[in-house]
Amino acid sequence: MSKVVYEGWMVRYGRRKIGRSFIHMRYFVLENRLLAYYKRKPQVNQVPIKTLLIDGNCRVEDRGLKTQHGHMVYVLSVYNKKEKYNRITMAAFNIQEALIWKEKIESVIDQHQDSQTTNGNKYVSFEYKSGMDNGRNASSSDHESQFSAQEDEDDAPPKTLLRRTTIGNGPPDSILDWTQEFDTELSNQNANNQAFSRKHWRLLQCQNGLRIFEELLEVDYLPRSCSRAMKAVGVVEASCEEIFGLVMSMDGTRFEWDCSFQYGSLVEEVDGHMAIIYHRLQLDWFTMFVWPRDLCYVRYWRRNDDGSYVVLFRSREHENCGPQPGYVRAHVESGGFNISPLKSRNGKPRTQVQHLMQIDLKGWGVNCISSFQQHCLLQMLNSVAGLREWFAQTDERGAPPRIPVMVNMASASAPLKKTQKTDELSVPLVASLDQMNAASRNSLLMDEYSDEDEEQMLEAEQEAYPTKSDYDVKRTALEEPVERIDLSCFSGNLRRDDRDNSRDCWRISDGNNFSVRSKHFCYNKTKIPAGKHLMDLVAVDWFKDTKRIDHVARRQGCAAHVASEKGLFSLVFNVQVPGSTHYSMVFYFVTRELVPGSLLQRFVDGDDEFRNSRLKLIPSVPKGSWIVRQSVGSTPCLLGKAVDCNYIRGPKYLEVDIDIGSSTVANGVLGLVIGVIKTLVVDMAFLVQANTTDELPERLIGAVRVSHIELSSAIFPKLEVDTS
């Protein structure tokens, strides 16, 4: 009877021959010595897409973290050393799952090696224990030092070696590893090593449950403006993997635990363990007089034998990340996190987190105000307390921690030649956060290497198992229209303004601010950033009247009429706000045509029952009082089940009149919002809910941000007589 060692969904990792990265979920099964993957969960006697027989010559190669389709995935490559092209490359969305697979496969390798040794064969599938190579942290992917030296190991005498669990090579020479203790003799040989021998610390203070230490060593090769190294030490009730996932992220979750974080983006992915990061700091020291700081640094990470994680920082110049207007470029001499497991208590995991920083904030404030740098440094170190409280106050730890992809800054610095249209204007490296987000939506996917057998296998797989339905192909065509819509002919009475601090206006909200159901939501309930919109938001009207305003698309000269005259299709959302004066905010979304058979086309041409069961709104209040943000929330809402929706189908448009006043709960929330509306920034995303695998992943119809709306700016509309 065969025995299944481990199975589950993983990412099938590779690339197409045209060079663009792709990602597919596949079901992998490790059964006895056979590793196989299937397009879906296998049935009885189903033939796998590909298999690999595990023996003593097999290796599990760590390829680290790679950027793929809105996430960072952890990549493993299983291959046979004797057969160069016989390999399977797989990836996981979280490091726990990848480590389980690595452990299971290596246990099979070990068992086969033991059995072969008993039979007289001499397989040596182990690697040297970390630390044997003159103190260097080796890696299962370290071909130069550990692996290449063992090419002829079958002819060598048997050795008793221990399998090493360290993941990641030693850091590059430019990054000083402050987590390593150097002995006295070694530290005396080199001033740099001596400077980062962390044996001489004093307790500076205790703050927010953290111990704050300051280094006692003085060094003369650093400028006077560079601070002494300081570190915060605290205990967090979470696993090392969960904390590592948060520390590596640069998405919106970081705002919830790092009070010094304003923005972060990926400049360059060097390899699976090292990347160049751009990081803006949010420092609260006299912000009216002191310019904000930003950083460009190399970030390196590894996992040690004991299950701890090390993340190291050091500033580095990069051609795609020059000085930014309005920011002072600070310099990180050394920094990072050391995340080490502790014994659990009361059944809860416990982890010690050390956060070290040695930084030169530059600028006049450092020299003129002695306490400026220390105050800012303590604010940055306080993120350890933020981590502790985040895990103490959230239940999200039950979900596998993700490491979202960060905005690719290179695409903002030099617009991509392949995707740049002739009517696009050149932009500076980083003019604003919105321009970064806009550039990221058009950035190309990272090309990833793979072996020839991977590409040949993919071609065969595509012939036997088509990976795209007709609907998927048509939807791709819709995502990348041949000809862009000219938006200059559309207008509404509420102006568009893409600046950050503008008021009484609207702008398009980045789709990646919203999470929607992924392709595999039916299997694992995962969500992904929404990405590009299906339709273009071309205009917004802000109306008022003494009665409820219905069927606004009949108004002559409105955006829906203009679109119809140009042969375009419009989807109009009329959000009706009741009161002594009735208000309506109207959003006009336009596309060239509806894709036949698509979910959007079925929604437009379906009956009201189908529409009510599928029309979804995702709200968000990025700026506003705490009580308003809590009342509105960010939970997706099926509009047709929460409030009354009236659908009006015209020749070239569908209007949805959304009566907020029809719901007691919505009316109560509206009472809070309407009184402070000019202090709010509100995001809204409209989409059609996908319920089946054929409809997934979900796509936004469109998203809008309205900022600091003035009630007095609403106008009385001139509507034609409604003959419908």
Side-chain angles (χ1 to χ4, degrees):
M1 189 72 180
S2 62
K3 177 184 176 183
V4 175
V5 181
Y6 199 65
E7 61 180 324
W9 291 97
M10 288 282 279
V11 174
R12 170 74 168 82
Y13 191 83
R15 73 173 185 181
R16 298 188 188 277
K17 278 197 179 272
I18 60 175
R20 291 195 66 178
S21 300
F22 74 99
I23 194 167
H24 291 302
M25 294 298 293
R26 292 289 183 260
Y27 199 83
F28 287 79
V29 177
L30 180 59
E31 187 172 6
N32 285 348
R33 292 171 49 207
L34 193 69
L35 176 63
Y37 76 84
Y38 303 81
K39 189 175 181 180
R40 54 185 62 86
K41 190 169 183 178
Q43 305 298 321
V44 179
N45 297 326
Q46 184 174 340
V47 178
I49 296 174
K50 188 177 182 180
T51 61
L52 177 65
L53 186 64
I54 306 298
D55 61 22
N57 287 312
C58 288
R59 298 289 184 273
V60 184
E61 178 186 357
D62 150 49
R63 292 189 178 178
L65 294 168
K66 299 291 183 180
T67 306
Q68 285 287 290
H69 286 243
H71 287 85
M72 298 288 281
V73 292
Y74 187 91
V75 183
L76 298 175
S77 180
V78 187
Y79 64 95
N80 191 304
K81 194 186 64 163
K82 297 292 186 180
E83 303 173 26
K84 180 180 178 182
Y85 297 109
N86 190 15
R87 69 171 61 219
I88 290 179
T89 307
M90 57 203 297
F93 284 122
N94 62 82
I95 199 167
Q96 296 104 311
E97 183 71 13
L99 290 172
I100 292 173
W101 273 101
K102 187 173 188 291
E103 177 186 344
K104 297 295 184 182
I105 297 172
E106 287 178 339
S107 68
V108 174
I109 296 174
D110 295 346
Q111 292 170 8
H112 185 261
Q113 189 273 339
D114 291 340
S115 65
Q116 292 298 321
T117 302
T118 304
N119 295 333
N121 294 327
K122 302 177 182 178
Y123 287 100
V124 183
S125 62
F126 300 105
E127 297 159 356
Y128 288 103
K129 185 74 174 177
S130 177
M132 294 184 67
D133 186 18
N134 297 327
R136 185 174 186 266
N137 286 299
S139 166
S140 53
S141 62
D142 190 352
H143 296 274
E144 296 298 323
S145 60
Q146 301 293 345
F147 179 71
S148 298
Q150 300 296 320
E151 289 297 326
D152 300 322
E153 60 188 357
D154 290 337
D155 300 327
K159 300 177 182 178
T160 302
L161 303 176
L162 298 175
R163 182 178 299 283
R164 184 194 37 72
T165 59
T166 294
I167 294 178
N169 303 331
D173 295 337
S174 61
I175 302 181
L176 297 164
D177 190 350
W178 54 269
T179 64
Q180 298 294 319
E181 294 286 349
F182 297 92
D183 57 41
T184 305
E185 180 180 357
L186 179 62
S187 64
N188 288 335
Q189 297 174 7
N190 186 286
N192 289 355
N193 287 344
Q194 184 179 3
F196 287 90
S197 177
R198 303 303 178 199
K199 296 180 179 179
H200 304 287
W201 296 89
R202 73 177 181 93
L203 182 64
L204 185 65
Q205 60 178 282
C206 292
Q207 174 180 302
N208 294 334
L210 306 177
R211 292 181 298 154
I212 309 295
F213 292 88
E214 182 181 52
E215 187 186 23
L216 293 178
L217 275 175
E218 288 280 4
V219 291
D220 55 7
Y221 66 90
L222 294 177
R224 290 181 55 190
S225 57
C226 188
S227 68
R228 289 186 179 186
M230 295 177 65
K231 67 177 179 181
V233 183
V235 175
V236 180
E237 288 191 345
S239 68
C240 292
E241 285 74 22
E242 291 172 325
I243 298 171
F244 173 72
L246 274 186
V247 166
M248 295 291 282
S249 69
M250 286 283 181
D251 65 342
T253 307
R254 198 176 185 103
F255 290 107
E256 300 180 26
W257 60 270
D258 188 352
C259 61
S260 66
F261 175 77
Q262 184 188 52
Y263 174 73
S265 64
L266 178 67
V267 179
E268 180 186 351
E269 191 173 63
V270 180
D271 57 35
H273 290 270
M274 191 161 59
I276 309 297
I277 304 295
Y278 174 71
H279 187 152
R280 286 182 180 175
L281 299 175
Q282 181 72 48
L283 305 177
D284 59 2
W285 183 276
F286 294 105
T287 54
M288 293 184 64
F289 305 101
V290 179
W291 278 30
R293 264 56 177 177
D294 65 358
L295 301 163
C296 179
Y297 56 82
V298 57
R299 182 185 69 185
Y300 158 85
W301 73 274
R302 72 169 183 270
R303 183 182 186 273
N304 291 326
D305 291 338
D306 59 359
S308 64
Y309 290 83
V310 172
V311 183
L312 303 176
F313 310 143
R314 195 175 192 188
S315 283
R316 175 181 292 183
E317 294 182 356
H318 194 279
E319 60 182 0
N320 290 335
C321 188
Q324 307 299 300
Y327 287 84
V328 174
R329 179 61 52 88
H331 176 84
V332 176
E333 181 63 28
S334 181
F337 291 85
N338 191 10
I339 306 166
S340 306
L342 299 174
K343 290 183 179 180
S344 61
R345 182 176 294 174
N346 299 326
K348 296 181 179 179
R350 297 167 65 244
T351 300
Q352 183 191 76
V353 179
Q354 298 183 51
H355 183 19
L356 178 140
M357 287 296 291
Q358 184 171 27
I359 191 171
D360 183 356
L361 289 174
K362 304 289 186 179
W364 64 269
V366 176
N367 297 319
C368 297
I369 308 174
S370 59
S371 59
F372 165 68
Q373 187 144 273
Q374 186 179 43
H375 171 86
C376 296
L377 194 51
L378 289 174
Q379 181 184 345
M380 298 168 70
L381 295 177
N382 211 33
S383 62
V384 178
L387 282 169
R388 182 191 64 218
E389 295 305 310
W390 191 91
F391 282 104
Q393 299 176 25
T394 183
D395 295 326
E396 293 184 22
R397 65 169 64 193
R402 291 179 174 272
I403 306 173
V405 66
M406 292 164 288
V407 175
N408 190 332
M409 192 174 178
S411 62
S413 63
L416 294 171
K417 295 181 180 179
K418 294 183 180 180
T419 58
Q420 187 179 17
K421 305 295 185 240
T422 56
D423 59 344
E424 290 179 350
L425 299 177
S426 298
V427 296
L429 177 59
V430 180
S432 69
L433 179 59
D434 297 314
Q435 288 175 335
M436 288 185 187
N437 292 335
S440 71
R441 293 195 295 269
N442 297 321
S443 60
L444 286 178
L445 301 173
M446 179 195 68
D447 286 344
E448 178 55 50
Y449 59 86
S450 63
D451 295 312
E452 292 179 5
D453 69 316
E454 297 278 5
E455 297 178 349
Q456 294 169 1
M457 190 61 224
L458 177 61
E459 287 182 341
E461 174 188 335
Q462 289 175 333
E463 292 175 3
Y465 304 93
T467 57
K468 283 194 174 185
S469 65
D470 292 340
Y471 163 52
D472 290 331
V473 174
K474 292 173 182 176
R475 188 175 62 183
T476 302
L478 182 61
E479 292 174 13
E480 301 176 0
V482 176
E483 186 180 354
R484 297 178 63 181
I485 298 174
D486 179 14
L487 306 183
S488 61
C489 57
F490 299 98
S491 64
N493 73 290
L494 188 65
R495 67 187 177 89
R496 175 175 178 172
D497 193 329
D498 292 333
R499 293 175 296 179
D500 288 335
N501 299 320
S502 52
R503 305 181 65 85
D504 197 24
C505 61
W506 67 273
R507 73 182 187 198
I508 296 174
S509 184
D510 184 3
N512 289 323
N513 293 334
F514 304 92
S515 294
V516 297
R517 296 179 174 184
S518 71
K519 181 68 176 175
H520 305 283
F521 181 84
C522 296
Y523 302 106
N524 51 25
K525 303 300 180 184
T526 57
K527 292 190 174 184
I528 58 175
K532 189 177 180 181
H533 307 163
L534 288 173
M535 303 182 73
D536 292 316
L537 178 59
V538 297
V540 176
D541 279 327
W542 181 220
F543 294 142
K544 63 181 177 182
D545 206 337
T546 54
K547 60 182 182 300
R548 194 178 70 187
I549 307 169
D550 296 327
H551 195 183
V552 293
R554 71 181 188 269
R555 186 174 65 91
Q556 288 294 330
C558 73
H561 269 216
V562 175
S564 179
E565 292 172 356
K566 293 183 173 295
L568 306 175
F569 183 84
S570 303
L571 190 50
V572 183
F573 293 101
N574 176 15
V575 182
Q576 301 169 324
V577 182
S580 55
T581 300
H582 292 259
Y583 292 90
S584 275
M585 184 162 285
V586 188
F587 307 102
Y588 301 89
F589 295 94
V590 170
T591 187
R592 290 199 171 276
E593 61 181 5
L594 297 174
V595 178
S598 67
L599 182 58
L600 181 59
Q601 181 269 323
R602 289 162 49 206
F603 170 81
V604 169
D605 295 330
D607 56 24
D608 287 358
E609 182 179 355
F610 178 77
R611 292 166 176 164
N612 284 333
S613 67
R614 295 299 188 96
L615 180 59
K616 185 189 289 186
L617 170 71
I618 306 177
S620 176
V621 182
K623 184 176 180 180
S625 66
W626 179 85
I627 190 170
V628 172
R629 286 187 281 113
Q630 291 297 312
S631 301
V632 175
S634 59
T635 304
C637 169
L638 285 173
L639 285 174
K641 295 185 177 182
V643 297
D644 291 343
C645 293
N646 184 33
Y647 302 92
I648 304 157
R649 181 69 161 94
K652 295 290 288 185
Y653 69 86
L654 173 68
E655 178 176 332
V656 185
D657 292 344
I658 306 167
D659 183 8
I660 303 297
S662 61
S663 166
T664 304
V665 175
N667 220 7
V669 174
L670 190 61
L672 289 173
V673 172
I674 202 70
V676 293
I677 189 171
K678 62 182 178 181
T679 68
L680 303 179
V681 175
V682 180
D683 284 347
M684 290 178 283
F686 298 92
L687 66 155
V688 182
Q689 178 169 286
N691 291 340
T692 66
T693 54
D694 292 337
E695 297 170 345
L696 292 167
E698 287 182 333
R699 296 290 310 281
L700 296 185
I701 295 172
V704 62
R705 168 171 291 187
V706 290
S707 303
H708 308 290
I709 298 300
E710 298 280 353
L711 295 178
S712 58
S713 65
I715 65 171
F716 288 92
K718 296 180 180 180
L719 299 177
E720 302 295 324
V721 177
D722 191 356
T723 57
S724 60

